[in-house]
Structure formats: C-alpha cells, structure tokens
Amino acid sequence: MCGIIGIVSNKSVSTNIINSLKKLEYRGYDSAGLATISDGKINEKKCPGRVEKLEKILFQTPSRGNLGIGHVRWATHGVPNEVNAHPHSSEIVSVVHNGIIENSDELKKELEKSGKTFKSQTDTEVITVLLTEKLKKLEPLKAVFETLETLKGSFALGIIFKEFEDFIIGARRGSPLAVGYSNSENYLGSDSYALKSMTNKISYLDDGDVCVLSKDDVKFYNSNKDKINKEIFTLSEDKSSVSKGNYKSFMIKEIFEQPNTTKTCLKEYIDKIREEINFYNLPVDPKKINKVVLIGCGTAYHSCLVAKYWLEELTTLNVEADIASEFRYRKVKFDINNLYIFVSQSGETADTYAALDLCKKENAKTCSVVNVVESSIARHSDCVLPIHAGPEIGVASTKAFLGQMLVLYLLSLKISEIRNDIEHKEYKKKIGELKKIPKLIAESLKEEEKIQLIAKDIYKSKGSMFLGRGSSFPIALEGALKLKELSYLHAEGYPAGEMKHGPLALIEDGLPVVVIAPKDKYFEKTLSNMQEVIARGGKVLLLTNSSSKVISENIRFQINLPDADLTLTPFLFTIPLQLLSYHVAMFKKCDIDKPRNLAKSVTVE
Ligand code: F6R
C-alpha cells in the first residue's frame, strides 16, 4: 500500500528520503517518486518499479534541496507507470497521497469544465490542481484547509510549495500519518517504522488534523483550524534486527524465529514467580462480559477463528469471529457488555481500523491484539495486547499468526479463570503446558527436510485441498491461504465434514489433500473423511501426532508432530503448513517475501 515520507532539514534530504522509502517497501508497492525544492524550483523524479530504480535515477541526476517528499505507490486509480506515480506536481505545488479520494471523478469533471487539464489517471492529481488554483489567492495553510473541505474519502497527504522552501504541510483523514522530531530536522511518515532510523520521538495525527513542519518547529491544527498540542511518544527499541541474516528470505527467517518469538511473548504475559497470566486494564470485567466478538482480516481472521474454538471450550461465553470488511457494513447490534477484540499484525489494516472506529462510535469496549504497538489500531483501542513478535517483513504472515494465537489463548485462559469457568488446578496445568510451546515448535521445525521432499512432489499440481475439524479447521484455512498467496497454487481450506456436501466433487487422481488430524475428539471422524478422499484418488498428506499410530498404505505422506496438550495443537500443526507453502513457492521460483499483487499493510478498503 502507498507510503509517504516528508523531511525538512538544514541539509540535503534526498538520500534520507530514499532510505525511508526503503523502510516503507514492506507495505507493497509498484512505483516510487520524490520531489524536493531548490533554487525556487520543484525537482520531481519518479518511476515505475522499485525504490532502487529511483535511487539510480537520483545518482545520475541528483535532486538538491533541504526539504522534500517521497512516496511508494500501490496502484488504485490508473496503471503503475511514471505519470501515475507520486508526487503529483504543478509549477507551484507538489503532493504525495495515501488513501482514496472518493469524489475525484466529480471534482475532475468540474475542473475540466473550467479549462484545467490532467496529466495522470490518478485521484490524487485533483488535489494538486485544486491547490494550484487556491494558491493564486490564498497562503498555503488556508489553501490546504479549503482544498480538504472539498475532498471525500480517506487520505494522508504530504505537500510542498515552490515559493516556500522551509515547510511541509501534512494532513490526515482516515489514513495514518506520523510526525517525527530531531535536531534541526523534522519528519512526516505513514508510520513510525519508516522514521525509526532517524528518530524515536513521534506524534500521531488524528482524523482531520493538519500539521506544518519546519526544521525547528512543528505546528498542529485540528479540523476546526484551531492550533492544538500533540503528545510526543518515545518509541521502544526493536531488539530483533531487521535483516535476513543467513536466511534466503525474511519469511523463512521468521518461520524459524517462532521458538524465540513465542518464548518472548510468554515471558511478557506469564509471571514466572506466581505462575500466573498477567492481563491488566481489560476494558470490561470478564465476569460481566456478555459476548466476545473477534475481528480481523486474512491470517489475523484465522487466529480469531481459532480463538473462538478456545473461548467456547474454556468459557461459558458466547463468541463470534468476524471478517472486518463484512462486520463494518453489517447492521450489527452492539452491546455495552460485549468485548470487541481487533486482531492485526500491522495495526493499520483499513477494514479492521474501520470496524474498530464503528465500535468506538457505539461506545463499545475494545481491545486490540497487534504486533506494531505504535499503530493506529493500537492507539485507538481501549486496551492493547502486543504479541511481541518483532518486525515481520515477509508479506505472508507467519510468526505474527502464532503470536496472535498465543495472546488470544492466554486471554481465553485468563477470562476463563476470572469467570470461574475453569478449575484452578486445570488452569495452572494449562499454564505449565503453555510453557512447552517454544520447544515443541522447535521440534516441529525439524520436519523441514521431509516437507521439502513433499513440496517437490506436489509443486506442479493444479490445485490442492486442506481439511480439518474443530480448531484444525481454521488451521486448514490458514494452510490454504499461505499456499495460494506464496506459490499461486490454488488451495481450498474446508471443514473435513463438509466435503460430502460439494467439494468432494473436486477430488481426482493425484490431487494433493492435506489432512490435519491431531489425536483429538475429532480424530476418528477426520480419518473417515480422509478415507473418502483416498477412495477418489486424492494424494493425502496426513498431519497427525506421533502417538496416533495411523498406518495406511494409501496415505502418500505422513508427518508426525510431537504429542502435546490438545489445546496447543494449532501452534504445532501450523508449522509444517508454513514450511510446505514456503518450499512449494521455492520450487516454483516465486518471490517469497513479496508475492505478486499483495501488500504487507493493507491501508485501503
Ligand atoms: C496473509 C496475510 C494477510 C494479513 C491481512 C491482515 O499471510 O498476511 O492475510 O493477515 O492482510 O493484516 P494485519 O494482520 O496487518 O491486519
């Protein structure tokens, strides 16, 4: 998704803009650009493709200037090419934009009627044209406020003006925007992560806010144009480094980090001395909760689904899991005694944020499970439960999924204990079992070589299926999502019991079918479903526990995972699925960390 950078300094800024744009690459993009001002001129450079290409252009023809804006674009209006790339500049003003201007067509038609022309197919260019007109009569801040009044939709903007070489204006409605502070230098950025290498002092714009950044000062205004003060946050240091180390990709590094990330997360939440789970500041007394509603997108939604099974199993609560993009538009009945939990790795996903915003407007009690604690979703929820996984760079979510499940499991257990839904002895026993997770994950990772051979056997297939029952059903969904997003191999996740109601028709000779069958209460039934698949020619990969002792010569492959407390199954059975999707994608020579068409941080609907 698009990302914005702005720097105003007492020295040349283009190199730092490029470095910051590289930090925004994780969001996914298809073109890049930058504009600086020097000698009373706007210097605009942009290109389709990677930031490295823009860097080469700058190397050949440097852009001077102590103030500038940069952008990585993820195409929404208009194909990814040089003209549509940001910034969009006129003779006197240059604009970078993240978000969507919903009334851009109407505005464009009106402007065209009055003789204005457009170079690009983007929605953003209307902002440049509107500002250019208004700047004929108004000073920059007033021109920006007037322009914002005509815009519908969501945006974060960075704007520079040819006549004013000493300030940048930023504006936020919907899309996130942060300001960073340093000595004789201030910054604008789509997220704090992009600014982290330059500063750890950050403020966040709220909806409707506008800021004016000069090198020694930052002024903030709210939507009523009143001057306001902003809190300055000091960012936490990242302990884990953002480099691939000896690994071939971030994704495989992040898969192998999971014993450590889960260990850190457990340390954060389990009091070693008292053997107790610590959760402070839950916005509602667990004894008074009426219903828990879990909301997320993609992989995060799958962790919500797993948590639904846990909460139903461990507590007497009603539980719902919902996809954020659906929840936000349904006629949901809110209840002040419900707890709404938002799950998001990035904490910036537009649909999840909008669902949270809806809950806030209804005065509902909200809690977020995020990896990025400085994110919009974290800052706007009543209570934040970080997953402590460290930066996740690979577009496909792996360690964040395990982190989300871990925090949701800890929360389920704690709620169950406070409500007296679980016996104290059982509660303590489960905490003891939880502490084994990092070691069990490390053991499961040892299956990699075997999984690589399986990947070699199936990577040329046209499709695949993933089956499971109970909490293994969302794990099947997650396995299928991971395979399709990384290797572009069609994959369907299904509850094993649903096969006979339609999907069984898809089974044909040699179709790879992954059957997730831990030794739980569904075990026998899942094996029967597996036999139905085998009888129709399906090539089965069975994932089960070591103690299951399944022997069937018709099972093509079998992975035995360590025996563990049954509630921990989702953690262990996810590991071979992550490795399978990684190795299939490797055999297919796919871009592991940046799968086609996808973005790490999905900040548009
Ligand atoms: C899949 C994946 C996505 C994200 C989804 C939500 O591997 O990464 O499905 O899970 O886009 O993102 P977050 O968790 O940042 O809200």
Side-chain angles (χ1 to χ4, degrees), residues 296-302 343-350 352 369 371-372 377 392 394-398 400-401 404 478 481-482 485-486 598-602:
C297 300
T299 290
Y301 167 66
H302 295 156
V343 183
S344 173
Q345 188 284 130
S346 63
E348 301 294 351
T349 301
T352 313
V369 175
N371 197 23
V372 184
I377 289 172
E392 188 181 67
V395 163
S397 196
T398 51
F401 180 59
Q404 289 159 358
E478 176 59 8
L481 175 64
K482 220 78 312 165
E485 71 170 323
L486 277 164
L598 298 180
K600 184 68 183 162
S601 180
V602 187

Short mmCIF file of all heavy atoms in Angstrom, two decimals, residues 296-302 343-350 352 369 371-372 377 392 394-398 400-401 404 478 481-482 485-486 598-602, ligand 1:
data_model
loop_
_atom_site.label_atom_id
_atom_site.label_comp_id
_atom_site.label_asym_id
_atom_site.label_seq_id
_atom_site.Cartn_x
_atom_site.Cartn_y
_atom_site.Cartn_z
N GLY A 296 -10.93 -9.49 12.41
CA GLY A 296 -9.64 -9.35 11.73
C GLY A 296 -9.80 -9.63 10.24
O GLY A 296 -10.90 -9.90 9.75
N CYS A 297 -8.70 -9.59 9.51
CA CYS A 297 -8.70 -9.90 8.07
C CYS A 297 -7.64 -10.96 7.79
O CYS A 297 -6.60 -10.98 8.44
CB CYS A 297 -8.30 -8.68 7.25
SG CYS A 297 -9.35 -7.27 7.45
N GLY A 298 -7.88 -11.78 6.78
CA GLY A 298 -6.87 -12.74 6.30
C GLY A 298 -6.39 -13.65 7.42
O GLY A 298 -7.18 -14.26 8.16
N THR A 299 -5.07 -13.73 7.55
CA THR A 299 -4.47 -14.59 8.56
C THR A 299 -4.94 -14.19 9.97
O THR A 299 -5.18 -15.05 10.82
CB THR A 299 -2.93 -14.50 8.44
OG1 THR A 299 -2.57 -15.15 7.23
CG2 THR A 299 -2.22 -15.13 9.60
N ALA A 300 -5.05 -12.89 10.20
CA ALA A 300 -5.48 -12.42 11.52
C ALA A 300 -6.90 -12.92 11.82
O ALA A 300 -7.22 -13.27 12.96
CB ALA A 300 -5.42 -10.90 11.58
N TYR A 301 -7.74 -12.99 10.77
CA TYR A 301 -9.09 -13.53 10.96
C TYR A 301 -9.02 -15.01 11.34
O TYR A 301 -9.79 -15.49 12.19
CB TYR A 301 -9.91 -13.33 9.68
CG TYR A 301 -11.21 -14.10 9.65
CD1 TYR A 301 -12.24 -13.81 10.56
CD2 TYR A 301 -11.40 -15.15 8.75
CE1 TYR A 301 -13.42 -14.54 10.56
CE2 TYR A 301 -12.58 -15.88 8.74
CZ TYR A 301 -13.59 -15.58 9.64
OH TYR A 301 -14.75 -16.30 9.65
N HIS A 302 -8.06 -15.72 10.74
CA HIS A 302 -7.93 -17.14 11.09
C HIS A 302 -7.56 -17.32 12.57
O HIS A 302 -8.03 -18.25 13.22
CB HIS A 302 -6.88 -17.83 10.19
CG HIS A 302 -7.31 -17.86 8.75
ND1 HIS A 302 -6.43 -17.95 7.71
CD2 HIS A 302 -8.55 -17.78 8.20
CE1 HIS A 302 -7.10 -17.95 6.57
NE2 HIS A 302 -8.38 -17.84 6.85
N VAL A 343 -7.80 -7.95 15.84
CA VAL A 343 -6.52 -8.63 15.69
C VAL A 343 -5.86 -8.16 14.39
O VAL A 343 -6.48 -8.21 13.32
CB VAL A 343 -6.71 -10.17 15.67
CG1 VAL A 343 -5.36 -10.87 15.60
CG2 VAL A 343 -7.47 -10.62 16.92
N SER A 344 -4.63 -7.66 14.49
CA SER A 344 -3.94 -7.15 13.30
C SER A 344 -2.44 -7.11 13.55
O SER A 344 -2.00 -6.54 14.54
CB SER A 344 -4.46 -5.75 12.98
OG SER A 344 -3.71 -5.17 11.95
N GLN A 345 -1.68 -7.73 12.65
CA GLN A 345 -0.22 -7.66 12.77
C GLN A 345 0.22 -6.21 12.67
O GLN A 345 0.87 -5.68 13.57
CB GLN A 345 0.42 -8.52 11.67
CG GLN A 345 1.92 -8.70 11.76
CD GLN A 345 2.74 -7.50 11.33
OE1 GLN A 345 3.65 -7.07 12.07
NE2 GLN A 345 2.44 -6.90 10.21
N SER A 346 -0.14 -5.57 11.55
CA SER A 346 0.34 -4.20 11.27
C SER A 346 -0.33 -3.17 12.16
O SER A 346 0.24 -2.14 12.47
CB SER A 346 0.06 -3.85 9.81
OG SER A 346 -1.34 -3.85 9.58
N GLY A 347 -1.58 -3.43 12.53
CA GLY A 347 -2.35 -2.44 13.27
C GLY A 347 -2.80 -1.29 12.39
O GLY A 347 -3.28 -0.27 12.88
N GLU A 348 -2.66 -1.44 11.06
CA GLU A 348 -3.03 -0.35 10.16
C GLU A 348 -4.06 -0.80 9.12
O GLU A 348 -4.42 -0.01 8.25
CB GLU A 348 -1.80 0.18 9.40
CG GLU A 348 -0.69 0.71 10.26
CD GLU A 348 -1.06 1.97 11.05
OE1 GLU A 348 -2.15 2.53 10.80
OE2 GLU A 348 -0.28 2.37 11.92
N THR A 349 -4.50 -2.06 9.16
CA THR A 349 -5.41 -2.56 8.14
C THR A 349 -6.70 -1.74 8.11
O THR A 349 -7.39 -1.62 9.13
CB THR A 349 -5.68 -4.06 8.40
OG1 THR A 349 -4.43 -4.72 8.37
CG2 THR A 349 -6.61 -4.67 7.37
N ALA A 350 -7.00 -1.18 6.93
CA ALA A 350 -8.09 -0.21 6.83
C ALA A 350 -9.43 -0.79 7.30
O ALA A 350 -10.17 -0.13 8.05
CB ALA A 350 -8.21 0.29 5.40
N THR A 352 -10.04 -3.34 9.32
CA THR A 352 -10.04 -3.62 10.77
C THR A 352 -10.15 -2.31 11.54
O THR A 352 -10.88 -2.20 12.53
CB THR A 352 -8.77 -4.40 11.16
OG1 THR A 352 -8.59 -5.47 10.23
CG2 THR A 352 -8.86 -4.96 12.56
N VAL A 369 -5.16 -6.79 19.55
CA VAL A 369 -4.03 -7.72 19.61
C VAL A 369 -3.17 -7.39 18.39
O VAL A 369 -3.56 -7.68 17.26
CB VAL A 369 -4.53 -9.18 19.57
CG1 VAL A 369 -3.37 -10.16 19.52
CG2 VAL A 369 -5.41 -9.46 20.79
N ASN A 371 0.94 -6.42 16.53
CA ASN A 371 2.40 -6.54 16.62
C ASN A 371 3.03 -5.16 16.72
O ASN A 371 4.00 -4.97 17.43
CB ASN A 371 2.93 -7.29 15.39
CG ASN A 371 4.33 -7.82 15.61
OD1 ASN A 371 4.75 -8.01 16.76
ND2 ASN A 371 5.06 -8.04 14.53
N VAL A 372 2.45 -4.20 15.98
CA VAL A 372 3.03 -2.85 15.96
C VAL A 372 2.29 -2.00 17.00
O VAL A 372 1.15 -1.57 16.77
CB VAL A 372 2.92 -2.23 14.55
CG1 VAL A 372 3.61 -0.88 14.51
CG2 VAL A 372 3.53 -3.18 13.51
N ILE A 377 -4.51 1.11 15.10
CA ILE A 377 -5.47 0.24 15.79
C ILE A 377 -5.11 0.16 17.29
O ILE A 377 -5.99 0.26 18.15
CB ILE A 377 -5.53 -1.15 15.13
CG1 ILE A 377 -6.22 -1.02 13.76
CG2 ILE A 377 -6.27 -2.18 16.01
CD1 ILE A 377 -6.20 -2.25 12.89
N GLU A 392 7.77 -8.03 11.40
CA GLU A 392 7.50 -9.10 10.42
C GLU A 392 7.58 -8.44 9.05
O GLU A 392 6.79 -7.57 8.72
CB GLU A 392 6.12 -9.73 10.65
CG GLU A 392 5.89 -10.95 9.80
CD GLU A 392 4.51 -11.57 10.02
OE1 GLU A 392 3.50 -10.92 9.65
OE2 GLU A 392 4.44 -12.68 10.55
N GLY A 394 8.34 -10.32 5.81
CA GLY A 394 7.74 -11.12 4.73
C GLY A 394 6.26 -10.77 4.64
O GLY A 394 5.58 -10.65 5.67
N VAL A 395 5.76 -10.61 3.41
CA VAL A 395 4.35 -10.24 3.26
C VAL A 395 3.43 -11.31 3.86
O VAL A 395 2.43 -10.99 4.49
CB VAL A 395 4.02 -9.95 1.77
CG1 VAL A 395 2.53 -9.97 1.51
CG2 VAL A 395 4.59 -8.58 1.37
N ALA A 396 3.80 -12.56 3.66
CA ALA A 396 2.97 -13.63 4.23
C ALA A 396 3.20 -13.71 5.74
O ALA A 396 4.33 -13.85 6.20
CB ALA A 396 3.32 -14.96 3.59
N SER A 397 2.13 -13.62 6.48
CA SER A 397 2.24 -13.59 7.94
C SER A 397 2.51 -14.99 8.50
O SER A 397 1.81 -15.95 8.18
CB SER A 397 0.92 -13.06 8.49
OG SER A 397 1.08 -12.67 9.82
N THR A 398 3.55 -15.11 9.31
CA THR A 398 3.88 -16.41 9.91
C THR A 398 4.01 -16.28 11.43
O THR A 398 3.14 -16.69 12.18
CB THR A 398 5.20 -16.96 9.32
OG1 THR A 398 6.21 -15.95 9.42
CG2 THR A 398 5.03 -17.40 7.89
N ALA A 400 3.65 -13.74 13.22
CA ALA A 400 2.58 -12.92 13.81
C ALA A 400 1.34 -13.79 14.08
O ALA A 400 0.64 -13.59 15.07
CB ALA A 400 2.24 -11.75 12.91
N PHE A 401 1.09 -14.76 13.18
CA PHE A 401 -0.07 -15.65 13.36
C PHE A 401 0.09 -16.43 14.67
O PHE A 401 -0.85 -16.49 15.48
CB PHE A 401 -0.18 -16.60 12.16
CG PHE A 401 -1.33 -17.57 12.25
CD1 PHE A 401 -2.64 -17.12 12.36
CD2 PHE A 401 -1.10 -18.94 12.22
CE1 PHE A 401 -3.70 -18.01 12.44
CE2 PHE A 401 -2.16 -19.85 12.30
CZ PHE A 401 -3.46 -19.38 12.40
N GLN A 404 -0.39 -14.03 17.54
CA GLN A 404 -1.80 -13.68 17.76
C GLN A 404 -2.52 -14.81 18.48
O GLN A 404 -3.25 -14.58 19.46
CB GLN A 404 -2.49 -13.43 16.40
CG GLN A 404 -2.04 -12.16 15.71
CD GLN A 404 -2.30 -12.16 14.21
OE1 GLN A 404 -2.79 -13.13 13.65
NE2 GLN A 404 -1.97 -11.06 13.56
N GLU A 478 -5.82 -21.47 7.05
CA GLU A 478 -4.56 -20.74 7.06
C GLU A 478 -3.52 -21.43 6.15
O GLU A 478 -2.80 -20.76 5.40
CB GLU A 478 -4.04 -20.62 8.51
CG GLU A 478 -2.69 -19.98 8.67
CD GLU A 478 -2.58 -18.55 8.14
OE1 GLU A 478 -3.60 -17.95 7.77
OE2 GLU A 478 -1.44 -18.05 8.05
N LEU A 481 -4.49 -20.58 2.62
CA LEU A 481 -4.19 -19.17 2.30
C LEU A 481 -2.70 -18.99 2.05
O LEU A 481 -2.28 -18.35 1.09
CB LEU A 481 -4.65 -18.26 3.45
CG LEU A 481 -4.28 -16.78 3.31
CD1 LEU A 481 -4.97 -16.14 2.12
CD2 LEU A 481 -4.66 -16.00 4.57
N LYS A 482 -1.88 -19.58 2.93
CA LYS A 482 -0.43 -19.44 2.81
C LYS A 482 0.04 -20.01 1.48
O LYS A 482 0.84 -19.41 0.79
CB LYS A 482 0.22 -20.19 3.98
CG LYS A 482 1.39 -19.59 4.64
CD LYS A 482 1.24 -18.49 5.61
CE LYS A 482 0.38 -17.33 5.26
NZ LYS A 482 0.05 -16.50 6.38
N GLU A 485 -1.18 -17.73 -1.54
CA GLU A 485 -0.56 -16.41 -1.65
C GLU A 485 0.92 -16.48 -2.00
O GLU A 485 1.45 -15.61 -2.68
CB GLU A 485 -0.80 -15.56 -0.40
CG GLU A 485 -0.04 -15.98 0.84
CD GLU A 485 -0.13 -14.95 1.97
OE1 GLU A 485 -0.13 -13.74 1.68
OE2 GLU A 485 -0.22 -15.36 3.12
N LEU A 486 1.58 -17.55 -1.56
CA LEU A 486 3.02 -17.64 -1.82
C LEU A 486 3.37 -18.31 -3.14
O LEU A 486 4.30 -17.92 -3.82
CB LEU A 486 3.69 -18.45 -0.71
CG LEU A 486 4.01 -17.66 0.53
CD1 LEU A 486 4.28 -18.60 1.67
CD2 LEU A 486 5.21 -16.76 0.31
N LEU A 598 0.20 -8.43 -3.75
CA LEU A 598 -0.12 -8.31 -2.32
C LEU A 598 0.67 -7.20 -1.64
O LEU A 598 1.73 -6.80 -2.12
CB LEU A 598 0.15 -9.64 -1.61
CG LEU A 598 -0.69 -10.81 -2.09
CD1 LEU A 598 -0.32 -12.06 -1.32
CD2 LEU A 598 -2.18 -10.53 -1.93
N ALA A 599 0.15 -6.74 -0.53
CA ALA A 599 0.83 -5.69 0.25
C ALA A 599 0.89 -6.13 1.70
O ALA A 599 0.03 -6.86 2.18
CB ALA A 599 0.04 -4.40 0.13
N LYS A 600 1.91 -5.67 2.40
CA LYS A 600 2.05 -6.08 3.80
C LYS A 600 1.06 -5.33 4.69
O LYS A 600 0.52 -5.88 5.63
CB LYS A 600 3.49 -5.80 4.27
CG LYS A 600 3.78 -6.26 5.69
CD LYS A 600 3.75 -7.77 5.81
CE LYS A 600 3.97 -8.26 7.23
NZ LYS A 600 3.52 -9.66 7.39
N SER A 601 0.86 -4.06 4.36
CA SER A 601 -0.03 -3.27 5.20
C SER A 601 -1.16 -2.77 4.30
O SER A 601 -0.93 -1.98 3.40
CB SER A 601 0.78 -2.12 5.78
OG SER A 601 -0.02 -1.32 6.59
N VAL A 602 -2.38 -3.28 4.54
CA VAL A 602 -3.47 -3.03 3.59
C VAL A 602 -4.28 -1.82 4.06
O VAL A 602 -5.28 -1.95 4.76
CB VAL A 602 -4.36 -4.29 3.43
CG1 VAL A 602 -5.38 -4.09 2.33
CG2 VAL A 602 -3.48 -5.49 3.09
C1 F6R B 1 -1.56 -13.43 4.84
C2 F6R B 1 -1.55 -12.09 5.37
C3 F6R B 1 -2.79 -11.27 5.32
C4 F6R B 1 -2.93 -10.43 6.59
C5 F6R B 1 -4.11 -9.45 6.46
C6 F6R B 1 -4.33 -8.65 7.72
O1 F6R B 1 -0.33 -14.06 5.01
O2 F6R B 1 -0.52 -11.61 5.82
O3 F6R B 1 -3.92 -12.06 5.12
O4 F6R B 1 -3.10 -11.28 7.69
O5 F6R B 1 -3.86 -8.58 5.39
O6 F6R B 1 -3.21 -7.90 8.04
P1 F6R B 1 -2.98 -7.36 9.51
O7 F6R B 1 -2.73 -8.52 10.39
O8 F6R B 1 -1.77 -6.45 9.39
O9 F6R B 1 -4.22 -6.61 9.90
#
